[in-house]
Amino acid sequence: MRLAVVGAGAVGRSVVDLADEYGHEVVAVADSSSAVVADGTGDRDPGVDADAVVARKAERGIVGDADPADALAADYDALVEATPTTLGDAEPGFSHVTTALERDRHAVLANKGPVAERFDDLRAAVADSEGEVRFEATVGGAIPAVSTVEDIEPSHVTAVRGVLNGTANFILTRMAAEGLDYEHVLAEAQDLGVAEADPAFDVDGTDAALKCVILANVLSFGAADDPADAREFTLDDAEVEGIRDVPGSALRLAAEDGQTVRLIGEATGELVRVAPRLVPENGTLAVSGTQNIVQIETSHAGRLNISGRGAGGPETASAVLGDVGRLE
Amino acid sequence: MRLAVVGAGAVGRSVVDLADEYGHEVVAVADSSSAVVADGTGDRDPGVDADAVVARKAERGIVGDADPADALAADYDALVEATPTTLGDAEPGFSHVTTALERDRHAVLANKGPVAERFDDLRAAVADSEGEVRFEATVGGAIPAVSTVEDIEPSHVTAVRGVLNGTANFILTRMAAEGLDYEHVLAEAQDLGVAEADPAFDVDGTDAALKCVILANVLSFGAADDPADAREFTLDDAEVEGIRDVPGSALRLAAEDGQTVRLIGEATGELVRVAPRLVPENGTLAVSGTQNIVQIETSHAGRLNISGRGAGGPETASAVLGDVGRLE
């Protein structure tokens, strides 16, 4: 497939880098201020030169000399939306996706905003288009949470829960292992680049909640006979508690009882909840460090556990390119 | 889709029972000696009456008054092959599947024989047909091992390993937990119905090896640019060691070191191996009881772990019906 990649952060750059290996061709790349569009005259490959894009971004902070709008207007089969997640109107990501759909092209999202905050609008745009929307990369990085729920079929999934934020999990894992307090481990995580300078999005549970909101939308709309009967979830519908107030003493007490604390997100077609919970220390949910895990409760096949890397450029790009493969 | 279900054991009966809930219609069911074919004149539902089939099988040992050949000739979209796994020529399962393919119908297998013993013949039959073949249910029950490898794409999977036989895993788990020897725990497992009267297929590693052979075929043929270059695996290519000779003392020694023993199967595009291995006692591979786990090593997204119920009628039927959903 011919791909236009919008967003040139770690995920967008990895998609550009790996696309060829998955048998796809990148015909346009845009970041917020610049773009490059293949002119179709390349010697051997009519797509953009992936190495050159990545090098320009690193050296000059731009991906090319064209305008971002040119990338949106390029001749692609699927648009990859990998700009940063925004809340509320989920712009500019939402408009990027609807531009693709209006042109009857597909869209594959790594950006959580449009699926978490405007699922019903997105669904309506898909209904009017020949194009499809996929968004495996928005939940759990390399973990195939969305497609597995789709394969089982949402009406046969009663709940999805799991550890969906690697930063918060890293902090809780280190607090328990070293007997340290939150502030101390956060500083360490920031030094290691595992936590952002402003860690609020991760440690307050927002990121995990957005992923659970997306899963709740998949469950609710997927199980409804008529989409008009489905309940749309947004971040406002989620009950969210982060890990800032988990004291080191709570982890020590838990350990005495063979337990530990994890930031657990839960989604059904009825509710979204994220909060620190006690879980067995050697149990399935107690993944370590930046690992993520998703537990899918099914009607007929018991519980399915899927764990793996929940973030990272190549990991998330693999989920994007898996989605592109499913569109073919 | 209209389904013909061949094989009326636990899996076949569960497919008949659950098909309607997944939006499909069973138009024919056969066991080895009898069949029922819908006459299309049912009052509300033109398919066969699932409850009546299951009741006749339980009460009279037959599924209906027709001949098995009538089910194979019925007007179905997909044939579900759920007869017992046979080795070598993999008959009669192989012929059931090719009959469907020759009629340009799809086939979904729960029977491991044709995919483990005659993958290349099967592939050739698919190449000449409008129908497709899917076989998620042959590996790991409810665990979506095959479809996840397909989504990642076989050329980006370097190896698949895991615990793929619940009976052997139950025995090793109990031996470690209770400090008992193999023979004692085997007798207990037979009493509980977890092990067969003749447990050879499970405890000698044959069942796990067949699953690994199937995964090796998926990896080998999926990664080859030209199928002529792919290596075909059969059970004869697998290096297999079972659990009969694992002494209780080995588990006690392992436990002193925080380890335990699991029957681990491994598949790449180059080899298939099954043998008892030391694994960390609280590690990911040390699933308990009849649970199964599959670890998928990827080129770009690290390691993915998927655990869940590796056997059971409804669990395996869910995998069959997930495959049917993917055919649409």
Side-chain angles (χ1 to χ4, degrees), chain B residues 111-196:
Chain B
N111 171 356
K112 289 180 273 292
V115 225
E117 296 286 70
R118 298 183 69 180
F119 195 86
D120 202 22
D121 291 342
L122 195 61
R123 202 194 52 70
V126 171
D128 288 340
S129 172
E130 302 280 310
E132 289 176 48
V133 165
R134 298 197 61 83
F135 47 88
E136 182 62 77
T138 62
V139 182
I143 296 175
V146 174
S147 58
T148 304
V149 168
E150 284 178 348
D151 278 355
I152 297 170
E153 297 187 11
S155 59
H156 303 130
V157 172
T158 54
V160 182
R161 84 175 66 76
V163 171
L164 287 163
N165 183 273
T167 304
N169 204 62
F170 175 88
I171 293 173
L172 291 171
T173 305
R174 292 282 300 162
M175 284 174 71
E178 307 297 329
L180 296 168
D181 276 340
Y182 169 77
E183 293 297 341
H184 188 112
V185 176
L186 172 63
E188 181 197 54
Q190 286 169 325
D191 281 350
L192 289 169
V194 170
E196 308 274 342

Side-chain angles (χ1 to χ4, degrees), chain A residues 90-106:
Chain A
E91 292 293 2
F94 186 82
S95 292
H96 295 160
V97 172
T98 50
T99 299
L101 290 172
E102 281 159 15
R103 296 179 59 200
D104 290 326
R105 312 297 163 92
H106 304 298

